[in-house]
């Protein structure tokens, strides 16, 4: 089988960029393709806002090194990438809008690849998709090239299983699932991924098996988190700490409860139900448990906002609330589908002024403050939604000096604080 060390990665987001650099670090020549020209310019200048590292080296350092070695370049011109490369990896996602997956981005990149597809090329889809998408949607588009999948070119699927913040390590050490339209495609996909992956690579019997397993992996976490978010309401009424309850429950060797939070964010877990539902509807299969879990997690940010409103000592229209951390999870620079966005929207719907401090978020928002002090100034309460290295949560007395009222509140959704300590510093405290 021919050398596949000329690789194009389509989509340079939280998955695509560290994946591209993972190949480059191991000697492959990689072209990263994205339609965002500003992103392309920044990457070619060695600039990225991702919070990733590998063996003590930041992704910023890795990017600059691979650019200098000539093993990575970014471009908005897919034609040049198609000409240079013989392996193409797609990391473009399917956004969910109003409960429906939007296939436009995946369709567009598939058509782009089809225009430049050559005999012997390998196409690997790593996007999380509705089960059946690769065979019924992507393959026909690629075959508009006049080439047949499995005969003239290889077509494989490998589910993406990384956690943001651990991308480099998990690309290398997480067991990887692959399949293809035929055995030759599966083997070609396996060989390509072995450049990066040291862990076991499992070849499944069909693409549909891997597509479905990926969605179920994410959906299982949505259901687990929904369960503990529901338990949190029960333990709160009982007057006991949900985090302690889970900690002691998890001493059982066959129990692995996740922890509750302000909701479920990011691109993967909240979308999982909506990736499975279209296929389930076609097959006439109900997803009652999954639907209920999604509803619980979707409603949790409103519950957090209601806690804050309940603790206000002034009318909502006269109130300001400071939110600390708006990333979709702790120590992340990703605010896509973050529960913080829903908490903010719920507060603003009641005419409450919201100021947010999160030094890791590069996105522009009108309520995002450049300085912690500006977010705290004259605030009547704080909601902690995500931990970040750039926020010193221990500086309660410092926080208190900027805030309004004789009893400002802290809503802690991340189990950072001890209730007695917070109340001893002059705050009203409420946890999940």
């Amino acid at each position: 089988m021919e050398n596949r060390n000329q690789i194009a990665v389509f989509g340079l987001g939280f998955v695509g960029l560290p994946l591209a650099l993972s190949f480059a670090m191991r000697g492959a020549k990689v072209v990263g393709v994205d339609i965002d020209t500003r992103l392309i310019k920044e990457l070619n200048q060695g600039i990225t806002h991702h919070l990733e590292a590998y063996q003590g080296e930041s992704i910023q350092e890795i990017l600059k090194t691979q650019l200098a070695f000539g093993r990575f370049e970014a471009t908005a011109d897919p034609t040049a990438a198609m000409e240079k490369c013989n392996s193409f990896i797609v990391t473009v996602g399917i956004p969910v809008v109003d409960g429906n997956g939007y296939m436009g981005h995946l369709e567009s990149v598939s058509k782009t690849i089809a225009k430049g597809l050559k005999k012997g090329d390998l196409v690997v889809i790593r996007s999380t998709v509705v089960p059946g998408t690769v065979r019924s949607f992507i393959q026909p588009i690629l075959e508009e090239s006049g080439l047949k999948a499995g005969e003239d070119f290889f077509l494989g699927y490998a589910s993406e299983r990384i956690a943001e913040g651990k991308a480099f390590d998990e690309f290398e050490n997480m067991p990887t699932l692959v399949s293809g339209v035929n055995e030759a495609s599966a083997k070609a996909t396996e060989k390509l991924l072995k450049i990066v992956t040291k862990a076991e690579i499992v070849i499944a019997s069909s693409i549909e098996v891997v597509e479905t397993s990926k969605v179920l992996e994410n959906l299982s976490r949505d259901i687990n988190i929904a369960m503990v978010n529901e338990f949190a309401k029960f333990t709160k009424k009982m007057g006991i700490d949900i985090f302690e309850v889970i900690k002691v429950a998890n001493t059982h060797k066959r129990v692995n409860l996740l922890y509750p939070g302000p909701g479920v964010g990011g691109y993967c877990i909240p979308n999982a139900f909506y990736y499975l539902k279209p296929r389930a509807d076609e097959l006439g299969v109900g997803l009652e448990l999954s639907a209920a879990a999604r509803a619980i997690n979707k409603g949790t940010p409103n519950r957090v906002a209601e806690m804050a409103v309940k603790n206000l000592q002034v009318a909502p229209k006269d109130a300001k609330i400071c939110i600390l951390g708006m990333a979709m999870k702790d120590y992340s620079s990703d605010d896509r589908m973050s529960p913080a966005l829903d908490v903010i929207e719920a507060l603003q719907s009641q005419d409450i002024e919201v100021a947010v401090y999160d030094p890791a978020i590069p996105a522009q928002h009108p309520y995002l403050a450049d300085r912690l002090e500006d977010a705290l100034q004259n605030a009547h309460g704080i909601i902690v939604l995500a931990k970040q290295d750039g926020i010193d949560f221990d500086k309660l007395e410092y926080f208190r000096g900027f805030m309004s009222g004789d009893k400002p509140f802290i809503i802690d959704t991340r189990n950072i604080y001890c209730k007695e300590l917070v109340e001893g510093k002059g705050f009203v405290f409420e946890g999940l």
Side-chain angles (χ1 to χ4, degrees), residues 127-172:
S127 313
T128 304
V129 297
V130 177
T133 294
V134 173
R135 199 181 302 275
S136 64
F137 183 79
I138 295 174
Q139 182 176 338
I141 295 174
L142 294 176
E143 289 181 342
E144 291 175 5
S145 64
L147 303 177
K148 187 168 179 59
E151 295 180 12
D152 301 312
F153 70 95
F154 303 103
L155 176 58
Y157 181 76
S159 55
E160 174 276 302
R161 303 174 109 184
I162 64 158
E164 286 179 30
K166 301 176 181 178
F168 288 110
D169 177 69
E170 295 195 346
F171 279 132
E172 182 177 71

Side-chain angles (χ1 to χ4, degrees), residues 17-18 39 55 82 95 110 115 132 173 180 186 216 233 260-261 279 288 294 305 307 325 341 348 380 402 422 430:
L17 179 61
L39 172 65
Q55 296 183 352
M82 297 294 296
S110 299
K115 289 177 183 177
N173 298 307
L216 292 185
K233 294 188 285 186
R279 191 73 175 124
E288 292 86 358
R294 185 85 293 273
M307 290 183 199
L341 300 173
Q348 289 181 329
H380 298 87
F402 292 92
V422 173
E430 189 164 358

